[in-house]
Amino acid sequence: MTRSRKPNRSTRSDVAKLAGVSTAVVSYVFNDGPKPVAADTKQKVLKAAAKLNYQPNSMAKALRAGTSKLFGVIVPDFSNPFFANMNDSLEKEATKAGYSVLFMSSHLDGLTEQRCISRLLARDVDAVFGEFPQSGEVFQSLDARGCPFILFDYSRQAVGAKVVSSDFRQATQLATNHLLSHGYRHIAMLLGHGADPSDPRVQAWSEVHHAHKLPVGPIVRSDFTREGAYKATLSLLDNATDETGSGVRPEAIFACSDLEAIGALRALHERGIRVPEDMGLISFDGTKECLYTYPQLSSLRQDTKSIAKLAVKTALNPDAAPDVQLVPVQLDLRRSCGH
């Protein structure tokens, strides 16, 4: 077999030769100047371009204007429904602003993440959006060449980057207070490994318990994955004991992602624990996955459209944007927490 050769792309010189004009005139036609072109000459150029199927080099044009008209997006996992929603919202907003988007995944690996950032900067992207497992301080050491970084899953100030995110503190307060309103007094949180004690979710978790004069429920590190939450929930159920060793298990679980809630749901089913009759469950993200579990999951829904709109606006004018912009979440009540 022989590999078919890609046909040569028509050039500006080809159009100029066919139209009987200079290459400069072709450039003036497709760049709207800087010099005017007579109407009949312009028509000759356009007809020649159509006959040759000539496509101007939009990248070169953008670079001459001082912009690549290209955004970069890095997420940890393309298979996560939340990031799929976020990518879709960002792409739509970027298109409205006349930008294309280059998507990459770090695959939850710090070294891969750094390589993705370097590759995007080498492409002269006008901004990098993403959810970065590493601390925000990583951006301070980058040679970003004026390229703004916008974090959309990091709800506190980050050195060297702008933050446009859901309000994690508000979400945790909503979820915890709602579960407490059902009479649950022993609640556990499933949270990924990247969160530290200063994380707004951790702080709000403690604050709400203290406000109700209750012991702070356990925070179980589970990754933001189905498998991680499944294993963590099994361990929580099988090993949970209070200080007296009486084997008290949680009465409800707040999972900090829909995927974690799905993993927890399987573990609960396998242990014969009914949801919500025996244990309440509420999740964070609010993707469509919540509608197709049994029972359907109550969830804090992230407004990806509003986040994307603010994020693109920030990318276009970073100097005018606040360092942190937080978008409220919406509590969608379904059967898993008992309503």
Side-chain angles (χ1 to χ4, degrees):
M1 294 181 61
T2 58
R3 188 176 296 177
S4 60
R5 297 190 65 181
K6 189 175 181 179
N8 291 330
R9 179 175 177 174
S10 296
T11 67
R12 186 172 56 179
S13 296
D14 296 329
V15 175
K17 184 176 180 180
L18 183 60
V21 299
S22 69
T23 55
V25 170
V26 176
S27 178
Y28 299 155
V29 169
F30 285 97
N31 290 307
D32 295 322
K35 293 183 178 181
V37 178
D40 58 340
T41 303
K42 183 176 182 180
Q43 285 303 313
K44 288 181 182 179
V45 171
L46 293 176
K47 286 181 180 179
K51 186 173 182 179
L52 295 172
N53 195 27
Y54 170 70
Q55 297 293 328
N57 190 328
S58 58
M59 180 64 73
K61 180 179 178 181
L63 289 175
R64 285 194 297 272
T67 172
S68 66
K69 287 291 183 178
L70 181 67
F71 291 144
V73 178
I74 303 173
V75 297
D77 181 8
F78 282 143
S79 69
N80 187 315
F82 166 69
F83 293 124
N85 288 351
M86 194 69 245
N87 288 349
D88 184 63
S89 296
L90 281 170
E91 195 276 334
K92 288 178 179 176
E93 287 299 322
T95 298
K96 290 179 185 177
Y99 283 71
S100 299
V101 185
L102 181 58
F103 294 98
M104 293 186 173
S105 175
S106 67
H107 303 289
L108 295 169
D109 178 74
L111 183 58
T112 301
E113 175 187 298
Q114 289 299 301
R115 288 172 178 165
C116 288
I117 292 173
S118 296
R119 288 168 63 190
L120 289 174
L121 293 178
R123 292 288 300 271
D124 289 319
V125 296
D126 292 309
V128 176
F129 304 86
E131 193 280 341
F132 300 94
Q134 298 188 36
S135 168
E137 281 75 13
V138 69
F139 307 110
Q140 193 176 28
S141 62
L142 286 172
D143 178 18
R145 286 163 278 180
C147 175
F149 284 79
I150 296 96
L151 311 188
F152 57 72
D153 200 35
Y154 190 93
S155 68
R156 48 189 164 150
Q157 190 162 355
V159 178
K162 299 286 185 177
V163 172
V164 182
S165 172
S166 293
D167 190 336
F168 290 172
R169 180 182 294 275
Q170 178 232 3
T172 304
Q173 290 170 340
L174 270 176
T176 313
N177 279 316
H178 183 76
L179 290 172
L180 290 172
S181 74
H182 282 285
Y184 299 122
R185 290 298 178 265
H186 301 284
I187 307 172
M189 176 194 281
L190 296 178
L191 183 61
H193 287 289
D196 57 45
S198 65
D199 187 286
R201 290 166 292 197
V202 176
Q203 292 182 343
W205 179 252
S206 297
E207 290 167 1
V208 173
H209 280 84
H210 290 151
H212 287 267
K213 296 181 169 40
L214 293 171
V216 179
I219 296 177
V220 182
R221 303 297 179 169
S222 61
D223 294 327
F224 291 102
T225 64
R226 302 176 189 87
E227 182 181 10
Y230 167 72
K231 292 178 179 178
T233 304
L234 288 179
S235 177
L236 178 67
L237 297 174
D238 295 342
N239 301 314
T241 59
D242 63 5
E243 293 178 356
T244 64
S246 60
V248 174
R249 75 182 185 199
E251 300 168 340
I253 293 175
F254 171 38
C256 287
S257 74
D258 289 347
L259 293 188
E260 288 176 291
I262 291 170
L265 197 57
R266 175 184 167 182
L268 293 170
H269 286 326
E270 288 186 2
R271 289 295 183 266
I273 297 172
R274 299 171 301 166
V275 177
E277 292 84 358
D278 302 324
M279 186 175 294
L281 178 62
I282 194 167
S283 69
F284 178 75
D285 277 341
T287 66
K288 290 183 179 179
E289 300 298 307
C290 298
L291 300 174
Y292 296 96
T293 60
Y294 184 80
Q296 290 185 332
L297 287 166
S298 290
S299 186
L300 287 306
R301 174 167 40 88
Q302 300 200 62
D303 186 351
T304 58
K305 292 181 181 179
S306 293
I307 293 171
K309 188 173 183 178
L310 279 174
V312 170
K313 183 178 179 181
T314 298
L316 295 176
N317 193 5
D319 293 337
D323 289 337
V324 179
Q325 300 174 78
L326 300 182
V327 177
V329 300
Q330 176 68 45
L331 176 57
D332 293 331
L333 293 176
R334 301 187 184 92
R335 188 166 174 264
S336 70
C337 66
H339 290 287

